Amino acid sequence: MSKRVSLQDLATALGLSKTLVSMVMNGKGDEIKISKVTQKRVLEKAKQLNYTPNQFARGLRMGRSQTIGLIVPDISNPFYSRIARIMEDEFSKKNYRLLICSTEEDAEKENELIRMLQDRAAEGIVLASTQKNPKELSRLKSDNYPIVLIDREFSGEKFDSVCVDNRDGGAKVADYLLKKGYNELAVFTISPSYISTLTERLAGFSEGLKKQNHKLNKENICEIPFNNVEAEVEKHIKRLLSRSNKLDAIFTLNNNLAVSVLKTLRKIGKRIPEDIALVSFDDIAAFELACPAITAVAQPVEEIGRSAVRKILSRLDTNDADKKPVPEHLPVELVLRESC
Amino acid sequence: MSKRVSLQDLATALGLSKTLVSMVMNGKGDEIKISKVTQKRVLEKAKQLNYTPNQFARGLRMGRSQTIGLIVPDISNPFYSRIARIMEDEFSKKNYRLLICSTEEDAEKENELIRMLQDRAAEGIVLASTQKNPKELSRLKSDNYPIVLIDREFSGEKFDSVCVDNRDGGAKVADYLLKKGYNELAVFTISPSYISTLTERLAGFSEGLKKQNHKLNKENICEIPFNNVEAEVEKHIKRLLSRSNKLDAIFTLNNNLAVSVLKTLRKIGKRIPEDIALVSFDDIAAFELACPAITAVAQPVEEIGRSAVRKILSRLDTNDADKKPVPEHLPVELVLRESC
DNA sequence: TTGAAAGCGCTAACAC
DNA sequence: GTGTTAGCGCTTTCAA
């Protein structure tokens, strides 16, 4: 492999010192009052020799990596990959890169990934956390390390965060289902179900029902393990259908669940919405195409990504330890389609 | 921010030298014959002090980053995000991380990303390239830099690559459409259309038709610009429908196009497959749910990811410059559904 | 078995 | 305006 050109090589070739060259390369030429002529010579030679700085040396010296970590449960979930794409674009404008990692909803793995990112001097982390007790996160917090929670937040602790108004989303679904005259309702959630996103959606839904004197039966809340969705969804649907109270409508708390519910209902020959209605949280492209098209709570994906980036960058700029964290809740929208 | 523990700190705390500690930490304790007792002491203290090596110092010294670059046109495309997820899992087993970048089908941006990854000493790159003339890639190649092409390959140059048998996929679609009695066929491709994946699919399709004495009209090949799919698809469909020869069936060369075609046909009130049949390359989850479910050529996504990782790792292990590159072509499968 | 010291490429304080 | 120099934290000869 042809050897890379170092700062020293460049300086030698120019008959100048490393310092000078380094300054020019970092755009501090004017500040330090280096003559235009010299600056030009340096820049040209650099291009000619194809010089690019060694990021390790730079990182070692400055303790900066120009890297941000993004930790999500599963990057192949379209909700997260869309956010990732937005963040990639936004960060690259500021010359930051994204190290993307999936936790598979494993809190232990999440902690390992956080440590890994810190070893690599990631300058900040954007995190859709699976933690129940965010002790690892609090450590970061106390170190004043830039961290922004997305999608999921924690009640007690105060972090920067960008989530949506999940409670309102749940309530909207409740209202709509009742308005449409559905009665025997079931909710499908996913484990670990303590995740704020899920509890909030469920709470909003329950509250919505309560306001209209309806109540959600405990047995109608189905918690599906993250890594066995298909089979477990089928099991629960069969259980719910075998009871005397005839199931009316299903509210799935994320897009994966909706897909599995849809498939299962088709498989066992139930019609949507005639036999059973379906509403889901998370609007993905497939819902618009599905048969029937799925009514869903849409989240402002772009804005989530953009806002998270803004928050990280602002922490990076102003190294103000005491700046209050800002939890942000973006509005959601119930997109009416045919499944309900 | 509480200061990180360095190797020196750890050595001092133990009353030993950096060398010794470094050796132990890197598992060379036995090799160098350091007493078990000492090794244990080191390891324990390291854990106690929460020591983790600074990756910059390490990288600077060793020229290694434990990072692999993944460059794709768009990480929010489910085809690529699924591959990314597989690769992430496989690489993390070997303690490699993935730096994921999207090119937006911009060849210039792709070159910049390649350079950026090399500045960061990415130890290899997995690339779904948008290049027409891979001169930047040839540079890497000549430097014996580990690079694996996925999804798209180049004819002349010889790189390691993992693609599917796109030609066969195209032929399968041709056979099937003709067998079903469709006559006036259109193909939707995407620009830049010189990409091997697209030309191969189209070539296979044309050959398949020719074998049965059919021919594809030039005007029935629609090239849609990457960043304006929705509008352009509608324009072309309207054009095709306004002609005297009534359009029978559409073959879309990737999943994005299929989605747009589906939406457009719905919008203008055409039934699938009664009015117009639709077959697509790339099977995504939405196709199974869509209304009607879309017949599509499915690619072995998992195997693509896994094989690309294997190839990179093998280049990394055996630093054998002369090992012949192995282009790999995985089989595809036509998944029959309702749209045709 | 263990330690001393060189040096990877860069930036920044301090001279000149 | 420009140059000298001291490390950042790590691995790796080489020596003891």
Side-chain angles (χ1 to χ4, degrees):
Chain A
M1 212 178 294
S2 55
K3 192 137 163 5
R4 284 178 57 102
V5 180
S6 76
L7 188 65
Q8 182 66 74
D9 298 336
L10 182 54
T12 310
L14 283 159
L16 293 169
S17 76
K18 286 196 296 177
T19 311
L20 185 8
V21 179
S22 169
M23 292 303 194
V24 174
M25 293 307 294
N26 291 310
K28 295 188 185 160
D30 292 335
E31 194 179 318
I32 311 294
K33 296 196 214 290
I34 294 169
S35 72
K36 288 285 176 210
V37 197
T38 314
Q39 291 201 40
K40 198 164 179 186
R41 269 185 68 216
V42 171
L43 260 9
E44 274 169 4
K45 197 75 180 179
K47 180 160 279 176
Q48 183 197 326
L49 294 186
N50 222 349
Y51 168 74
T52 53
N54 179 315
Q55 299 295 324
F56 286 135
R58 204 151 204 262
L60 179 57
R61 182 59 231 241
M62 309 207 296
R64 302 189 49 190
S65 61
Q66 297 289 113
T67 303
I68 303 289
L70 170 63
I71 303 181
V72 295
D74 178 4
I75 190 59
S76 72
N77 181 321
F79 174 68
Y80 295 117
S81 70
R82 283 176 61 204
I83 291 180
R85 176 60 203 285
I86 306 280
M87 290 185 33
E88 185 199 339
D89 290 352
E90 294 296 312
F91 273 130
S92 75
K93 288 178 192 162
K94 304 285 180 181
N95 215 18
Y96 279 90
R97 305 293 155 187
L98 221 44
L99 213 43
I100 301 176
C101 317
S102 306
T103 64
E104 300 172 81
E105 302 287 10
D106 177 340
E108 198 39 58
K109 190 166 175 197
E110 180 178 315
N111 283 334
E112 282 166 23
L113 289 172
I114 291 173
R115 296 216 52 118
M116 182 276 291
L117 287 171
Q118 298 218 285
D119 292 345
R120 290 169 173 249
E123 295 182 40
I125 294 180
V126 177
L127 172 64
S129 179
T130 292
Q131 309 287 331
K132 186 164 193 176
N133 300 308
K135 75 170 201 287
E136 184 81 2
L137 303 189
S138 301
R139 199 203 79 212
L140 299 188
K141 186 66 195 156
S142 64
D143 284 354
N144 193 32
Y145 182 78
I147 182 162
V148 171
L149 267 24
I150 56 170
D151 187 45
R152 302 153 174 209
E153 60 194 335
F154 297 105
S155 52
E157 321 261 348
K158 292 281 174 266
F159 296 96
D160 281 327
S161 62
V162 189
C163 299
V164 297
D165 193 340
N166 288 297
R167 199 169 274 253
D168 179 55
K172 281 190 160 105
V173 172
D175 285 352
Y176 187 66
L177 284 173
L178 293 181
K179 197 179 94 189
K180 283 279 196 169
Y182 296 103
N183 240 309
E184 187 69 16
L185 314 173
V187 172
F188 280 68
T189 183
I190 202 150
S191 67
S193 63
Y194 55 73
I195 286 168
S196 73
T197 312
L198 301 172
T199 57
E200 287 289 298
R201 289 171 190 178
L202 185 53
F205 186 68
S206 297
E207 285 169 18
L209 294 183
K210 194 178 284 174
K211 264 195 199 137
Q212 308 202 29
N213 300 314
H214 262 261
K215 195 171 170 300
L216 186 64
N217 281 327
K218 265 263 166 77
E219 317 90 70
N220 286 19
I221 302 177
C222 309
E223 181 172 336
I224 309 294
F226 175 76
N227 42 21
N228 191 21
V229 173
E230 202 94 343
E232 288 284 321
V233 161
E234 182 166 345
K235 209 179 78 186
H236 278 278
I237 287 188
K238 284 184 172 158
R239 175 177 66 78
L240 289 169
L241 287 174
S242 69
R243 298 180 318 171
S244 53
N245 294 358
K246 217 177 134 291
L247 187 65
D248 255 342
I250 294 176
F251 175 31
T252 54
L253 260 35
N254 78 9
N255 63 51
N256 278 329
L257 291 168
V259 170
S260 285
V261 167
L262 185 59
K263 284 187 187 168
T264 304
L265 290 178
R266 276 192 193 173
K267 187 170 150 190
I268 63 177
K270 292 288 173 189
R271 291 163 309 162
I272 306 174
E274 294 83 353
D275 297 329
I276 294 174
L278 174 61
V279 179
S280 182
F281 223 100
D282 272 4
D283 193 24
I284 58 173
F287 287 175
E288 188 181 348
L289 306 178
C291 182
I294 309 292
T295 294
V297 180
Q299 306 189 48
V301 175
E302 298 223 346
E303 194 45 35
I304 293 173
R306 250 186 273 281
S307 178
V309 171
R310 262 194 311 260
K311 286 195 160 63
I312 286 273
L313 290 178
S314 120
R315 285 278 168 198
L316 251 30
D317 284 352
T318 76
N319 210 355
D320 184 356
D322 298 325
K323 202 172 66 177
K324 285 261 166 53
V326 190
E328 186 176 4
H329 292 99
L330 301 171
V332 294
E333 184 193 358
L334 183 63
V335 179
L336 303 182
R337 299 210 182 86
E338 310 152 5
S339 68
C340 171
Chain B
M1 210 178 299
S2 57
K3 195 143 162 2
R4 283 178 58 101
V5 180
S6 75
L7 188 63
Q8 181 65 73
D9 299 337
L10 181 54
T12 310
L14 283 158
L16 293 169
S17 75
K18 286 196 294 179
T19 314
L20 184 11
V21 178
S22 169
M23 293 301 194
V24 174
M25 293 308 293
N26 290 309
K28 296 188 184 157
D30 291 335
E31 196 179 316
I32 312 293
K33 295 194 213 294
I34 293 168
S35 72
K36 288 284 175 209
V37 196
T38 312
Q39 292 201 38
K40 197 165 179 184
R41 268 186 68 216
V42 172
L43 261 9
E44 274 169 3
K45 198 74 179 178
K47 179 160 278 175
Q48 182 198 325
L49 294 187
N50 223 350
Y51 168 75
T52 55
N54 179 316
Q55 300 296 323
F56 286 133
R58 202 151 206 261
L60 180 57
R61 181 63 228 240
M62 309 210 294
R64 301 189 50 190
S65 61
Q66 297 290 111
T67 302
I68 303 289
L70 171 62
I71 303 181
V72 295
D74 179 4
I75 190 59
S76 72
N77 180 320
F79 175 67
Y80 295 117
S81 70
R82 283 175 61 204
I83 291 181
R85 176 60 204 283
I86 306 282
M87 289 184 34
E88 186 199 337
D89 289 352
E90 294 295 312
F91 273 130
S92 75
K93 287 179 192 161
K94 304 284 181 180
N95 213 20
Y96 279 91
R97 304 295 155 184
L98 223 43
L99 213 44
I100 301 176
C101 317
S102 305
T103 64
E104 300 172 80
E105 302 286 11
D106 178 340
E108 198 38 58
K109 190 166 175 197
E110 180 178 315
N111 284 333
E112 280 166 24
L113 289 172
I114 291 173
R115 296 214 51 113
M116 180 277 290
L117 287 170
Q118 298 217 286
D119 292 345
R120 291 171 173 248
E123 296 183 40
I125 293 180
V126 177
L127 172 64
S129 179
T130 292
Q131 309 287 330
K132 185 163 192 174
N133 300 308
K135 74 170 203 286
E136 184 81 2
L137 303 190
S138 301
R139 198 203 80 214
L140 300 188
K141 185 69 195 155
S142 65
D143 284 354
N144 194 31
Y145 182 79
I147 183 162
V148 171
L149 267 26
I150 57 170
D151 187 44
R152 304 153 173 210
E153 60 194 335
F154 298 104
S155 53
E157 321 262 349
K158 291 279 173 272
F159 295 97
D160 282 326
S161 64
V162 189
C163 299
V164 298
D165 193 340
N166 288 297
R167 199 168 274 255
D168 178 55
K172 281 191 161 107
V173 173
D175 286 353
Y176 186 67
L177 284 173
L178 293 181
K179 198 179 94 190
K180 281 281 196 168
Y182 295 103
N183 240 307
E184 188 67 17
L185 313 174
V187 173
F188 279 68
T189 183
I190 203 152
S191 67
S193 64
Y194 55 72
I195 286 168
S196 74
T197 312
L198 301 171
T199 58
E200 288 289 298
R201 288 171 191 177
L202 184 53
F205 186 68
S206 297
E207 284 169 18
L209 293 183
K210 195 177 282 172
K211 265 196 199 136
Q212 308 201 29
N213 300 314
H214 263 261
K215 195 171 169 303
L216 187 62
N217 282 326
K218 263 262 167 80
E219 317 88 73
N220 285 19
I221 302 177
C222 310
E223 182 171 335
I224 310 293
F226 175 75
N227 41 23
N228 191 20
V229 174
E230 202 95 341
E232 288 284 321
V233 161
E234 182 167 345
K235 208 178 79 185
H236 279 278
I237 287 187
K238 284 183 172 160
R239 176 178 64 78
L240 289 169
L241 287 174
S242 69
R243 298 180 318 169
S244 53
N245 293 359
K246 216 177 134 293
L247 186 66
D248 255 341
I250 293 176
F251 174 31
T252 53
L253 260 34
N254 79 10
N255 63 50
N256 278 329
L257 291 168
V259 170
S260 284
V261 167
L262 185 58
K263 284 188 187 167
T264 304
L265 290 178
R266 276 192 193 172
K267 187 170 152 190
I268 63 178
K270 294 288 173 188
R271 291 163 308 162
I272 307 175
E274 294 83 353
D275 299 327
I276 294 173
L278 173 61
V279 180
S280 182
F281 222 99
D282 272 4
D283 193 24
I284 58 173
F287 287 176
E288 188 180 349
L289 305 178
C291 181
I294 310 291
T295 295
V297 180
Q299 306 189 49
V301 175
E302 296 223 347
E303 193 46 33
I304 294 173
R306 249 186 274 281
S307 178
V309 171
R310 262 195 310 259
K311 285 193 162 62
I312 285 275
L313 291 178
S314 120
R315 285 277 167 198
L316 252 30
D317 283 351
T318 77
N319 210 356
D320 184 356
D322 298 327
K323 202 171 67 177
K324 285 261 165 54
V326 191
E328 185 175 6
H329 292 99
L330 301 172
V332 294
E333 185 193 358
L334 182 64
V335 180
L336 303 182
R337 299 211 182 84
E338 309 152 7
S339 68
C340 172

